[in-house]
Amino acid sequence: MSLTPQWLDELRTRVSLSALIGRSVRVQKAGREFKACCPFHNEKTPSFTINDEKGFYHCFGCGAHGDAIRWMTDHQGLPFLDAVKELAASAGMEVPAPDPRAARRAEEQKSLHDVMAAAQDFFVKSLAEDQGAQARAYLASRGFPAATVRDFGFGYAPDSRTALKEALSQFPEAMLIEAGLRIVVEGRDPYDRFRGRLMLPICDPRGRVIAFGGRILDKTKTDAPKYLNSPDTPLFDKGRTVYNLHRAAPASRQSGRVVVVEGYMDVVALAAAGIGEAVAPLGTALTEDQIERLWRMTETPVLCFDGDAAGQRAAARAIVRALPLLRPGHSLRIAVLPTGLDPDDLIKQRGLAAMEDVLGAARPMVHVLWDIEHAAGPLATPEDKAGLKARLMAHVETIADGDIKALYRRELLDRFGELAYPQRERPAFQPRLQAGQRSAPSGRKGPWQPPAPPLSAANTAKMQAVGERRSLLAAVLAGLVAQPPEIARHAEVLARLEVADAGLGALLDALVDMIQSAAQPLESSDVHPILAKRGLRAPTADDYAGMRFGFLDGKGPDAAEELAEAVELLTGLPAVEAALAEATRQHEAEFSDETFAEQQRLLQRRLALLARLGQMGRTRAGM
């Protein structure tokens, strides 16, 4: 039968692992997981955990680890196919019909596993012999403990074109070629792929050897790659395989994290130092499949890159791959090593605590994305800055999840706004006394000017209402619901607002996301059902303190322009208030003609905005 990886993954997803194990073992709820006394060894204190979300069990006492199928084979004693059939029946899935070709492929793969296991035995044996002296010296220079060398399965490939073939003579050469151990070149005899290299096995999640990586030992061989991996084979797909996954999975359960480094020697160095939850891709940028595999272990893996330009490029590639996959609670964090140091160098020079500090300082993806694009080119002209914004928004558009897309858009636009529209600082001004001017009061510098006129009680009340901004924001959102086409017009400005009210903030995000993801223009009647599905509602008169605006029903001939004015008030008043406060502080400090004039200009601007607000919004009492 053709049991594809996709079909088996679906089977595992449909099975409640805790319920399955609970048929034979007494399990107890423990937070988001379940615990029990391990059924594979005798114990009195539970160390056996079951995680339904990630679909595996693990014992911290004896190391037993597996999924639903593994439970049925290891604990229930069923053959693999019988285990699959029983689980499929309980999950309501139909087992695929027998496929002779798939059966032959499975048998071939089983034979290839035998080939790889034999090759691993040969490499380990060669490392212990005289011919492996150079490889042993290299391992000693790296300071790897003997236990680490043994656990990771280091070996040595003799510098011979036929040594492996001769050692594995029980297997036909065609199998050695299919397993990636021998190379076929037209017009020449096949020869061993790995020669004169320190060897490291690459295993699948079950710990079976499926490929190899080899590091060259002769520094004079500049015509060969420093590291050489097996090619893709029926067993090995480098884009789907994560190095050290089978060891890191149990370790990550204890540490609560997964650390992704750039190469497998970095993984070994971290394990030797006590960080056993490290993994690595295999000669490629982190792929979508690898990210999904990492998320099964932890929701936020830490990617640790070198601090050089190559490390920055690797981080950028990983972020681009991850953005479309983001979902609530699942992301990546980026840690950057000091320039010129890999994990092994850092630990040797500064100790394990320095490595932990680097990992602890890992930053969210959105921050690193900003830094990468901010540093991508000059930002001296408006065109440069517009290019930065375009690049950032292009990244945002690749995010599939609507809520995450809206939040990324808001944060990146906020950062862009701070860069593109910084608060201007006025130069210091040293005034001169003119004829007829009076000297400043004692303790002050510059000419004396009368104080700013006070606000009227009515304008002060309006200022307090607008200062809170909640009522005006609620009215603007109600106007946008009534006039959906206007959302796109003001989306960029509104996305930069700081909204203290969580409900109004969620409504604003929903409206912006709704209009940008709509396949066709929306009407007001379309908006309300969409909001209801998200648990949101349009603001009512109570939300905007009884203020009545002409744009609220969206029917007036000037409704769109009045709404635009309200948006300008909503965003402009806080900016004017902040500038006025700064101008007043500066005037009190310098007391000059220029500071007084600036204070008065901003005061008049604020009063003009308040007056316009008074014209636009009429209270219910006045109706």
Side-chain angles (χ1 to χ4, degrees):
M1 63 187 64
S2 180
L3 300 179
T4 64
Q6 294 79 8
W7 188 90
L8 291 173
D9 285 343
E10 177 67 18
L11 175 62
R12 296 182 183 100
T13 301
R14 292 197 188 186
V15 173
S16 169
L17 187 57
S18 62
L20 176 66
I21 296 176
R23 298 175 189 172
S24 308
V25 178
R26 184 169 177 266
V27 300
Q28 293 178 319
K29 184 72 172 174
R32 298 174 62 181
E33 299 180 337
F34 293 84
K35 64 180 181 180
C37 289
C38 180
F40 295 101
H41 79 289
N42 294 324
E43 64 174 0
K44 296 181 179 179
T45 303
S47 61
F48 184 84
T49 62
I50 307 162
N51 190 310
D52 280 330
E53 181 180 346
K54 298 179 180 179
F56 65 75
Y57 61 82
H58 179 74
C59 176
F60 293 100
C62 69
H65 183 89
D67 55 15
I69 299 173
R70 188 72 173 266
W71 171 262
M72 298 297 285
T73 58
D74 290 5
H75 187 266
Q76 303 296 319
L78 295 177
F80 175 80
L81 288 179
D82 290 344
V84 168
K85 290 177 181 178
E86 184 169 329
L87 290 174
S90 63
M93 294 179 63
E94 185 174 342
V95 178
D99 184 346
R101 291 174 298 178
R104 284 196 301 272
R105 286 196 299 270
E107 187 62 31
E108 290 170 359
Q109 285 191 350
K110 180 180 178 181
S111 299
L112 288 181
H113 280 300
D114 295 336
V115 172
M116 300 304 284
Q120 169 63 7
D121 291 340
F122 169 69
F123 292 142
V124 170
K125 179 174 177 290
S126 298
L127 179 66
E129 296 174 347
D130 291 343
Q131 59 187 339
Q134 188 179 7
R136 295 196 302 273
Y138 172 79
L139 290 171
S141 71
R142 295 294 298 260
F144 295 153
T148 300
V149 173
R150 182 183 63 253
D151 292 345
F152 277 86
F154 278 103
Y156 174 69
D159 193 5
S160 165
R161 298 172 65 89
T162 60
L164 181 66
K165 176 188 176 183
E166 293 166 3
L168 272 62
S169 58
Q170 70 271 33
F171 298 102
E173 185 168 62
M175 291 187 67
L176 301 182
I177 294 171
E178 188 176 18
L181 298 173
R182 298 269 288 171
I183 296 177
V184 177
V185 178
E186 187 176 355
R188 299 173 58 186
D189 292 335
Y191 56 93
D192 292 353
R193 178 179 299 275
F194 300 102
R195 305 179 307 281
R197 290 179 179 269
L198 177 72
M199 299 299 293
L200 198 60
I202 299 168
C203 300
D204 65 10
R206 294 174 58 182
R208 298 175 299 182
V209 177
I210 57 175
F212 290 97
R215 187 194 191 282
I216 201 166
L217 294 171
D218 188 349
K219 295 181 180 180
T220 64
K221 290 187 176 181
T222 58
D223 58 342
K226 182 177 180 181
Y227 289 97
L228 179 66
N229 290 337
S230 294
D232 283 354
T233 70
L235 297 181
F236 176 55
D237 181 342
K238 62 178 177 289
R240 296 177 61 87
T241 303
V242 178
Y243 176 72
N244 199 46
L245 191 66
H246 64 297
R247 297 186 194 89
S252 72
R253 296 293 304 141
Q254 295 178 315
S255 66
R257 70 181 179 189
V258 173
V259 179
V260 184
V261 289
E262 295 193 47
Y264 38 69
M265 294 303 285
D266 295 329
V267 171
V268 179
L270 288 178
I275 300 177
E277 62 274 18
V279 299
L282 291 159
T284 63
L286 203 63
T287 67
E288 292 85 353
D289 285 326
Q290 290 168 333
I291 292 171
E292 290 289 356
R293 287 174 181 264
L294 294 173
W295 278 344
R296 295 176 193 171
M297 298 167 64
T298 183
E299 293 181 344
T300 314
V302 176
L303 274 55
C304 186
F305 293 106
D306 293 344
D308 56 13
Q312 286 286 307
R313 290 193 296 271
R317 289 193 296 268
I319 290 174
V320 168
R321 291 279 179 87
L323 283 171
L325 308 177
L326 295 179
R327 53 183 182 266
H330 291 74
S331 186
L332 304 173
R333 294 181 69 84
I334 312 297
V336 179
L337 291 160
T339 303
L341 298 180
D342 61 24
D344 192 30
D345 295 331
L346 179 62
I347 292 171
K348 286 178 178 176
Q349 293 181 21
R350 306 181 190 177
L352 180 59
M355 187 70 216
E356 289 289 358
D357 288 342
V358 167
L359 298 177
R363 302 166 63 218
M365 269 179 50
V366 66
H367 295 174
V368 180
L369 175 61
W370 165 265
D371 287 348
I372 290 172
E373 292 298 349
H374 182 270
L379 296 171
T381 68
E383 293 81 2
D384 294 338
K385 295 172 183 176
L388 168 62
K389 179 183 175 184
R391 295 194 302 272
L392 292 171
M393 292 303 100
H395 286 304
V396 170
E397 288 304 313
T398 66
I399 301 173
D401 184 275
D403 291 336
I404 297 176
K405 177 188 288 187
L407 292 168
Y408 261 68
R409 181 184 296 112
R410 168 168 289 191
E411 179 151 349
L412 292 173
L413 285 177
D414 283 348
R415 285 173 171 254
F416 178 78
E418 293 173 3
L419 170 72
Y421 311 106
Q423 183 175 341
R424 298 181 184 274
E425 294 186 5
R426 302 185 66 84
F429 176 76
Q430 299 295 332
R432 293 179 299 173
L433 287 175
Q434 303 293 330
Q437 288 183 327
R438 296 161 54 186
S439 297
S442 177
R444 297 209 183 253
K445 297 179 181 179
W448 179 86
Q449 295 286 359
L455 288 174
S456 67
N459 278 339
T460 299
K462 287 180 183 177
M463 194 62 229
Q464 290 173 346
V466 175
E468 295 174 359
R469 290 199 296 163
R470 187 188 185 285
S471 299
L472 183 57
L473 174 59
V476 167
L477 293 177
L480 293 174
V481 172
Q483 304 178 67
E486 294 301 304
I487 300 175
R489 176 180 175 183
H490 305 293
E492 182 177 327
V493 173
L494 293 171
R496 294 201 297 267
L497 282 178
E498 293 290 340
V499 182
D501 187 289
L504 294 181
L507 177 59
L508 174 59
D509 290 340
L511 291 175
V512 172
D513 180 62
M514 183 189 310
I515 203 69
Q516 292 183 345
S517 59
Q520 57 188 9
L522 295 176
E523 300 293 337
S524 182
S525 57
D526 302 322
V527 174
H528 292 279
I530 298 175
L531 293 179
K533 289 182 179 179
R534 299 193 180 194
L536 302 171
R537 63 170 180 80
T540 64
D542 291 338
D543 295 308
Y544 37 86
M547 301 171 71
R548 301 299 296 271
F549 295 92
F551 59 73
L552 287 174
D553 59 8
K555 297 178 181 178
D558 299 324
E561 293 311 312
E562 282 201 24
L563 179 59
E565 284 193 70
V567 172
E568 182 182 356
L569 287 170
L570 183 65
T571 57
L573 266 169
V576 172
E577 290 170 2
L580 178 58
E582 174 60 21
T584 300
R585 184 198 63 76
Q586 190 167 358
H587 178 56
E588 290 176 350
E590 299 182 11
F591 216 79
S592 67
D593 285 340
E594 184 170 307
T595 58
F596 177 74
E598 178 66 6
Q599 182 198 48
Q600 294 300 302
R601 184 186 71 79
L602 291 169
L603 178 61
Q604 294 304 317
R605 175 59 178 161
R606 182 179 67 169
L607 293 175
L609 291 175
L610 287 171
R612 180 54 186 151
L613 176 63
Q615 295 169 3
M616 293 177 63
R618 302 182 303 277
T619 63
R620 288 184 183 275
M623 293 298 291

